[in-house]
Amino acid sequence: MSRAEERRAALAARWLASWPDALRAWGTTTRVADPVLHVRATRHPARSFAWFDGAAVRVHVDLVQVERFGLQDHAVAVLGHEIGHHVLAPGDARTRVAVAHRTRLGLIDQPDLVATVANLWQDMLINDRLERTGGASMAAVWRALRRPDGPGAPEPLMDLILRADELLWRLPAGDLTPRSGSGRADREAYALLLSRLVRAYRTDPVGGAAGFAALVRTYLGEDLASVRPVGCSDVTRVDGVPAGIATDPRLTGPVRHPALDPAVVGDLETDVAGDGTGTSQGGQPPPQAAEHGIVGSSRDGATPADLAETMRALGMAADPRAVAATLYREHAAPYLVRFPARPTARASEPLLGALEPWQPGEEIGDIDWSATVLASPVVLPGVTTRRRVMDEDTSTQHTDEPVHLDLFLDSSGSMPDPTRALAPVVLAGAVLALSALRAGASVRVTIWSGPGQVASTPGFVRRPDEAMMALMTHYGGGTSFPLHVLRRTYLDGVDRRPTGPVHVAVVSDAGVSTMFPRQGEDVGIAARALEAAGGGGSAVLNVSSVRVAPDVAPFDRYVVSSADDLVPFAADFARRWWGRAR
């Protein structure tokens, strides 16, 4: 071990002794495994002197960089900051994606900066909490990083953040920032806005993320590309779509510039020092910020395409179909119905009956040797040998057998692409598929568009993932219902089908009329196949109203053109089919 490594090993022991104090900065019950202190130079994804690995829930510190930046005496502040990524911002994978999503909306057209800007926003919340109540001086860390050999800071963004910190912590101007400032006349107004934003959303990293991104974007303009990570980072890995993100209410709502956010602006005569009261520090929200105003909103949360783009911005290879499948599955959960079941006589079961003598000439395997030996220790064929009489259960009880589902999804150009936006009609199909699988039935999903454009699950499956991934397929071609699939399965017996009745459901729009040709050899195939399937049929249609929906008899017809139609659809389906099955 070199002399430098020995010196850093001693430094690591000092920092490890400071670990309990860093934990106490976030409360007496905070527990995290001991940090990983690197005494040799290391290559890490955060490109900083400290980072938090959310997947392993471990704090990492590069002591080589710590020495370079002169931070040896700031163990509690640096370690406490990284613990803050676990406790406050983001805290978990779902919140991390939510913060990134709102940040991306605020940046509008800068997706490559989402991870960096989101991390800067969360750093501000953590630093403010530590400085105010954590007993750790983040101001001292910033002073150390201002050394000439400290890390380069993106200008003018870092100057804005540090000036906001001075306002938040009641420090004199120039304590953390260069006295000359960034040279921008509106810096004081923006710093005031930023400091108020931090206090307004001090415990809500998702709520303030979009406003922070909008402020940064309007403040820096084209210079936003100069933003780069500084100091500490969060490198939480997100494997797959976090549970609950699809219906997370924090994703909804308008994206407001802080100058137009009532939670931030409030009474402009007050200051953010302390808890938001005090004397004015001067500066008014810049009028040009109002040009950006409310830059977007979402009623139903993130669309599949939005969420896939956000996850890519976080460095994940997000498959749009897998992301969409997760979103549809979560959105469908509140609408699942009792899928049809048919009463079936329970199979008779053998019952043990009385004992009777076994006579020579009868099947020797019928001898009940335990009963024979109990009758007499001396076995005399025909005298002491016994056999057990077997009776049958004559119970008239019945059991409910689930009706299987054969789901056909129209994927022509007139139908929405489920991976781009949440399509209520496809969501209705997901409700049927997931309801059937929950009831123990098997499901086949067939995606169809023009001639030759047909794809199916490998037969009738029982795994929700397989069914949902198939539902996310989109062709965008012509419209020609695959009657040959119905014929092969229910009339010719070529394709294997499950034992028992099968419910045939078709998700389409006006293109459903191709199921019922008026001439040719395919006339009547749909009706005959439906009868042979034995479980009834449904047509879920994406049309404006029942009046314009085509006649689909003998299928039951449902119109689903908006999210508001899902509740009546699910209720009506359950009422019709569950009652009919009974």
Side-chain angles (χ1 to χ4, degrees):
M1 181 180 291
S2 67
R3 186 171 299 178
E5 290 176 348
E6 291 178 353
R7 183 180 66 251
R8 287 192 289 271
L11 178 61
R14 287 170 45 202
W15 276 53
L16 194 59
S18 299
W19 180 246
D21 293 332
L23 289 172
R24 279 192 292 271
W26 293 99
T28 58
T29 60
T30 304
R31 296 291 183 270
V32 183
D34 288 347
V36 180
L37 304 174
H38 302 270
V39 298
R40 296 183 177 89
T42 180
R43 296 173 61 91
H44 50 78
R47 295 174 294 171
S48 60
F49 55 79
W51 64 100
F52 180 75
D53 184 346
V57 194
R58 296 294 292 271
V59 170
H60 291 253
V61 179
D62 186 343
L63 294 177
V64 177
Q65 299 295 321
V66 166
E67 284 189 334
R68 175 188 171 191
F69 299 136
L71 299 173
Q72 297 94 322
D73 297 329
H74 302 283
V76 174
V78 173
L79 294 173
H81 176 96
E82 298 308 323
I83 296 170
H85 282 300
H86 172 60
V87 176
L88 175 61
D92 53 59
R94 174 174 163 183
T95 299
R96 183 171 190 258
V97 173
V99 169
H101 173 72
R102 297 292 291 175
T103 300
R104 191 177 68 83
L105 293 180
L107 291 175
I108 303 175
D109 55 359
Q110 301 276 1
D112 54 320
L113 296 175
V114 167
T116 298
V117 173
N119 189 73
L120 287 173
W121 162 243
Q122 293 170 109
D123 282 352
M124 289 201 73
L125 298 181
I126 293 169
N127 291 343
D128 184 54
R129 169 76 174 270
L130 286 173
E131 183 73 27
R132 288 187 301 112
T133 64
S137 178
M138 298 307 301
V141 173
W142 283 126
R143 294 187 189 104
L145 290 174
R146 281 187 56 191
R147 291 171 34 176
D149 57 347
E155 292 291 353
L157 176 60
M158 211 56 225
D159 178 67
L160 172 68
I161 289 176
L162 293 176
R163 179 57 188 141
D165 285 341
E166 290 175 344
L167 294 175
L168 285 165
W169 306 335
R170 293 186 174 184
L171 301 176
D175 190 335
L176 306 180
T177 59
R179 293 189 180 277
S180 59
S182 63
R184 289 190 53 152
D186 57 2
R187 183 192 73 158
E188 198 69 13
Y190 271 100
L192 176 62
L193 271 180
L194 180 53
S195 60
R196 295 178 70 99
L197 180 73
V198 170
R199 284 296 161 81
Y201 294 98
R202 58 186 178 273
T203 60
D204 184 9
V206 179
F212 177 77
L215 183 148
V216 166
R217 188 177 186 278
T218 57
Y219 181 76
L220 292 179
E222 295 180 357
D223 295 334
L224 188 59
S226 67
V227 176
R228 58 184 180 271
V230 178
C232 306
S233 298
D234 162 44
V235 293
T236 303
R237 297 189 302 272
V238 181
D239 299 321
V241 184
I245 192 66
T247 54
D248 193 328
R250 299 175 298 177
L251 301 184
T252 62
V255 177
R256 290 188 177 93
H257 191 284
L260 301 177
D261 186 346
V264 175
V265 179
D267 181 1
L268 288 178
E269 294 302 317
T270 60
D271 179 25
V272 293
D275 59 358
T277 61
T279 59
S280 173
Q281 294 289 326
Q284 295 293 326
Q288 62 267 35
E291 298 176 6
H292 299 269
I294 299 176
V295 298
S297 62
S298 174
R299 174 191 170 194
D300 300 318
T303 67
D306 283 340
L307 193 54
E309 182 64 30
T310 297
M311 298 182 75
R312 280 192 292 268
L314 290 175
M316 298 181 57
D319 178 2
R321 290 178 62 208
V323 173
T326 301
L327 262 66
Y328 276 87
R329 190 169 177 177
E330 291 189 6
H331 277 287
Y335 307 107
L336 298 187
V337 299
R338 297 182 69 185
F339 207 71
R342 294 290 171 86
T344 304
R346 181 178 297 175
S348 61
E349 297 180 0
L351 299 177
L352 295 178
L355 291 169
E356 61 180 28
W358 177 89
Q359 300 296 328
E362 295 179 340
E363 189 66 40
I364 194 171
D366 292 342
I367 298 176
D368 187 327
W369 291 106
S370 297
T372 297
V373 173
L374 287 174
S376 172
V378 179
V379 177
L380 298 175
V383 178
T384 63
T385 48
R386 299 287 186 269
R387 71 182 183 91
R388 178 76 65 177
V389 177
M390 303 302 294
D391 294 331
E392 287 190 357
D393 180 10
T394 58
S395 172
T396 58
Q397 292 184 353
H398 292 74
T399 185
D400 288 334
E401 293 293 336
V403 175
H404 305 284
L405 176 65
D406 199 358
L407 181 59
F408 291 82
L409 176 64
D410 183 349
S411 184
S412 62
S414 61
M415 291 290 287
D417 182 348
T419 66
R420 301 302 305 169
L422 199 66
V425 67
V426 179
L427 187 55
V431 169
L432 293 180
L434 295 174
S435 297
L437 291 168
R438 186 179 64 169
S442 55
V443 174
R444 180 175 70 175
V445 177
T446 300
I447 308 300
W448 57 278
S449 183
Q453 294 178 316
V454 181
S456 296
T457 54
F460 286 81
V461 299
R462 292 182 178 272
R463 294 181 55 192
D465 290 345
E466 290 183 279
M468 293 304 300
M469 284 295 288
L471 281 171
M472 298 304 106
T473 304
H474 187 72
Y475 283 117
T479 306
S480 179
F481 187 86
L483 288 168
H484 66 280
V485 177
L486 289 178
R487 184 194 301 113
R488 288 168 56 89
T489 304
Y490 301 107
L491 301 182
D492 298 341
V494 176
D495 294 337
R496 186 175 180 181
R497 54 170 288 188
T499 302
V502 178
H503 184 85
V504 179
V506 179
V507 178
S508 182
D509 53 12
V512 73
S513 59
T514 59
M515 285 183 64
F516 308 102
R518 298 184 178 182
Q519 57 184 0
E521 61 180 7
D522 290 338
V523 173
I525 284 182
R528 286 187 283 126
L530 188 64
E531 182 179 359
S538 300
V540 183
L541 305 180
N542 181 33
V543 293
S544 59
S545 68
V546 176
R547 292 183 179 180
V548 299
D551 183 18
V552 292
F555 290 77
D556 284 340
R557 181 176 58 180
Y558 304 90
V559 173
V560 177
S561 55
S562 71
D564 295 334
D565 296 330
L566 285 173
V567 172
F569 156 73
D572 194 28
F573 180 89
R575 177 183 57 79
R576 290 191 196 183
W577 286 105
W578 188 255
R580 186 180 304 177
R582 286 297 186 189

